[in-house]
Amino acid sequence: MIESDLMRRITINPAIFGGKPIIRGRRLAVEHVLGMLSVGDSPETILEGYPWLELEDIQACLVYARRHVGHERIEPLEMVAEVAS
């Protein structure tokens, strides 16, 4: 499945979770799926917990995160010079 098809699975509804990105209009936020993955839950475990969820939904969450992180630019607050000993 191509990225544009995956991204169509991510929707925003101001009436659900204050407009946070959700999966296919359901009450499951992208950040929740990413959180489950980040603590080591496998896609299979996540799919077992949400029978309506599809593997492509999890892939869509990862694509969404990559696209957002790809546009981030972090500026250091303070430059610390390394002191030679």
Side-chain angles (χ1 to χ4, degrees):
M1 186 170 274
I2 59 176
E3 276 193 11
S4 59
D5 291 335
L6 289 171
M7 289 301 295
R8 281 194 269 285
R9 292 171 172 267
I10 307 300
T11 60
I12 295 174
N13 180 338
I16 300 175
F17 299 138
K20 289 185 176 193
I22 55 177
I23 300 169
R24 292 188 287 134
R26 305 275 189 121
R27 297 189 69 81
L28 181 59
V30 169
E31 72 179 272
H32 188 70
V33 172
L34 294 172
M36 289 186 283
L37 291 169
S38 74
V39 297
D41 288 341
S42 69
E44 293 78 18
T45 299
I46 297 169
L47 294 172
E48 285 174 16
Y50 297 89
W52 58 267
L53 198 65
E54 299 171 355
L55 182 59
E56 290 82 2
D57 297 323
I58 296 172
Q59 291 172 319
C61 291
L62 293 170
V63 168
Y64 183 88
R66 184 197 52 81
R67 284 187 173 191
H68 280 274
V69 170
H71 294 301
E72 283 185 358
R73 296 294 177 259
I74 306 299
E75 297 292 327
L77 296 176
E78 182 179 319
M79 300 282 286
V80 178
E82 200 170 305
V83 178
S85 339

